[in-house]
Amino acid sequence: MEKSVQTSLLKLLTQISSRSDASPFLHPVDWKALGLYDYPTIIKNPMDLTTVLKKLKSNQYPSLTSVSSDVRLIWKNCMTYNADGSDFYLLASEFSKRFEEKISKLSKDPSAVKSSQGLEANDTAPSPEQKQCFARNLFRIGKEELGRVVTVLDDKSPEALTKNVAEDEVEVNVDRILGRVFWE
C-alpha cells in the first residue's frame, strides 16, 4: 500500500476513533465481562478499531480494500449481534454510512485505487498473500456481495468455481482465478 494511502487511512480511522460515541467500537468486545455468552457463537470474526489501527500502522494490510473490509466487519458484527433498531445497531449503521462516504472519496484517488488493486488490471498473478487475504475476506462479506463475486467469477473465470447443485453450494478455488479477473 502506498504511504499516502496509508497516511490518509490512519487519519480517517483516528478521526473515527476519537469521536465520543465510538467507544463501543474501540476495543474487542469483552463478552465475558458483559455477560454476552452467545457472542462468540454469533460473531465468528471479531474486529475493532484499535486492532485495525495497529495492523495499519504495522503494514499488515496490502491494500485499501483489505483495510476497508476489516472496518466494515466492525459495523457488520455490531449490527449482526444487536437487534435492528437498538441503540448499538443504529450507531453502527451511522458509523458505516459515514465511513462509506469518506472511503469512497479516498477510493477515487487514483493512487489509492491502484494500491488497492495491487496492480493495474492485467493478467499478472496475485501473490500467495493476496490470495490468502482475498479468501479470508470472502468469509467476511455479506450474502449479496458474495453473490456478486460468484456471479463475476462464473462469467469471467468459471474454472475457479466448483458447483454442487444438489446442496446449492459453490466452492471458490482462489488459485484458479484468472489474474485479470482477480484484479477487477
Side-chain angles (χ1 to χ4, degrees), residues 45-62:
N45 297 304
M47 188 53 62
D48 61 276
L49 288 168
T50 301
T51 301
V52 173
L53 279 165
K54 283 180 187 174
K55 288 174 69 174
L56 186 58
K57 288 175 185 175
S58 61
N59 300 314
Q60 293 182 40
Y61 289 112

Side-chain angles (χ1 to χ4, degrees), residues 124-141:
T124 306
S127 70
E129 293 81 20
Q130 290 165 324
K131 290 178 185 179
Q132 253 183 345
C133 183
F134 177 83
R136 276 194 309 270
N137 287 337
L138 285 177
F139 289 99
R140 295 179 177 166
I141 61 178

Side-chain angles (χ1 to χ4, degrees), residues 1-39:
M1 177 179 332
E2 288 185 21
K3 194 70 174 164
S4 63
V5 175
Q6 184 180 18
T7 302
S8 296
L9 283 166
L10 280 169
K11 182 179 175 187
L12 172 60
L13 294 175
T14 301
Q15 286 174 347
I16 291 171
S17 298
S18 65
R19 291 178 47 102
S20 60
D21 54 353
S23 60
F25 311 111
L26 290 179
H27 303 287
V29 173
D30 189 353
W31 56 270
K32 287 180 184 174
L34 295 169
L36 306 174
Y37 298 105
D38 60 345
Y39 188 83

Side-chain angles (χ1 to χ4, degrees), residues 109-170:
D109 174 3
S111 66
V113 173
K114 183 176 177 184
S115 174
S116 77
Q117 293 174 338
L119 297 168
E120 297 293 335
N122 60 27
D123 262 336
T124 306
S127 70
E129 293 81 20
Q130 290 165 324
K131 290 178 185 179
Q132 253 183 345
C133 183
F134 177 83
R136 276 194 309 270
N137 287 337
L138 285 177
F139 289 99
R140 295 179 177 166
I141 61 178
K143 287 186 254 181
E144 289 179 11
E145 198 171 348
L146 183 60
R148 287 192 293 272
V149 169
V150 170
T151 301
V152 168
L153 289 175
D154 195 30
D155 290 344
K156 299 182 179 182
S157 191
E159 61 279 0
L161 299 177
T162 305
K163 298 177 184 176
N164 183 341
V165 180
E167 294 183 23
D168 196 27
E169 289 181 349
V170 176

Side-chain angles (χ1 to χ4, degrees), residues 172-184:
V172 177
N173 184 337
V174 178
D175 293 322
R176 299 190 73 196
I177 298 174
L178 298 173
R180 70 183 177 326
V181 176
F182 188 89
W183 299 117
E184 279 188 24

